[in-house]
Amino acid sequence: AAGGVNGKVRVYDRAEEFRLTKVLDDATDWIRSVAWNGPLLASGCDDKIVRIYDASKDFMLIRTLGDASDEIRSVAWSGHLLAAAGHDKQVRLYNAREDFKLLQTLGEASDKVNAVSWRGEVLAAAGADAKLRIYHEDQKRAADTQIADWAKFVELATDSQGTQSADTLLHAAVACHALSGAQES
């Protein structure tokens, strides 16, 4: 799948030599990010909305998430968790198992958040404030309720646009490795 300036998401079939199979035209502005999770496709748009489509239902629009106050620049999945980030300096975490309930808003950025990416339970967010923030989910149980408590693990400097240089990615990889080692102990 690919987004574009015209507000359309184009879906291609890899099994058929990337033939265009569907065009989704629910958005009203530039589609900045798309991400798959099984049959679910999330798209992030400059119209401040994250849209969730279900490929198993002919790409039916099953949910819109309109919590953002500015453009959505990046969406990313990790299992049932969806992260969405954008120009409002926020990273929002949604739970697909609970009808995309907003779990938490991470708001440490002082400027636009341009990218989010997962590695297992570790979430990285990079922004125009020249920081790469890495978060980890600490699980706590209270009775039968599981609550995700997100704690900022490490914050690294990036360039002024929030893009990741090779050096920054190396530091992030080291931080993720340190975190995964800490989990095993």
Side-chain angles (χ1 to χ4, degrees):
V5 178
N6 61 1
K8 297 181 190 310
V9 175
R10 288 176 168 70
V11 181
Y12 300 90
D13 189 335
R14 182 174 66 182
E16 296 184 27
E17 298 181 9
F18 294 97
R19 180 181 63 83
L20 179 65
T21 59
K22 192 80 169 173
V23 176
L24 310 173
D25 58 3
D26 302 291
T28 60
D29 208 337
W30 191 341
I31 303 292
R32 298 287 183 162
S33 181
V34 294
W36 286 100
N37 183 28
L40 300 181
L41 175 63
S43 69
C45 184
D46 280 3
D47 66 6
K48 309 174 192 172
I49 296 174
V50 175
R51 290 171 177 81
I52 312 295
Y53 300 92
D54 189 339
S56 70
K57 298 178 181 176
D58 195 32
F59 291 95
M60 176 191 295
L61 178 64
I62 61 167
R63 194 77 162 91
T64 57
L65 307 173
D67 302 302
S69 62
D70 208 337
E71 301 171 3
I72 302 294
R73 300 296 273 194
S74 185
V75 292
W77 293 93
S78 178
H80 65 281
L81 298 177
L82 174 66
H87 278 199
D88 64 0
K89 307 174 192 173
Q90 307 290 315
V91 176
R92 289 175 179 78
L93 302 172
Y94 299 94
N95 185 345
R97 290 183 185 156
E98 296 181 29
D99 195 31
F100 294 93
K101 174 185 171 185
L102 178 63
L103 291 177
Q104 191 164 357
T105 301
L106 307 172
E108 289 89 5
S110 61
D111 205 342
K112 306 168 203 166
V113 181
N114 294 325
V116 287
S117 181
W118 292 92
R119 174 131 180 127
E121 293 180 350
V122 176
L123 173 66
D129 63 358
K131 302 278 189 214
L132 173 64
R133 291 175 176 83
I134 298 176
Y135 301 89
H136 180 262
E137 180 183 19
D138 294 319
Q139 296 295 332
K140 296 181 181 175
R141 296 189 187 274
D144 293 331
T145 307
Q146 186 173 356
I147 301 167
D149 207 9
W150 290 83
K152 184 168 52 166
F153 179 68
V154 68
E155 188 176 281
L156 302 168
T158 64
D159 64 35
S160 63
Q161 295 304 309
T163 57
Q164 298 139 352
S165 67
D167 189 51
T168 301
L169 289 174
L170 176 62
H171 287 293
V174 169
C176 289
H177 178 72
L179 177 60
S180 65
Q183 289 176 321
E184 294 169 6
S185 0

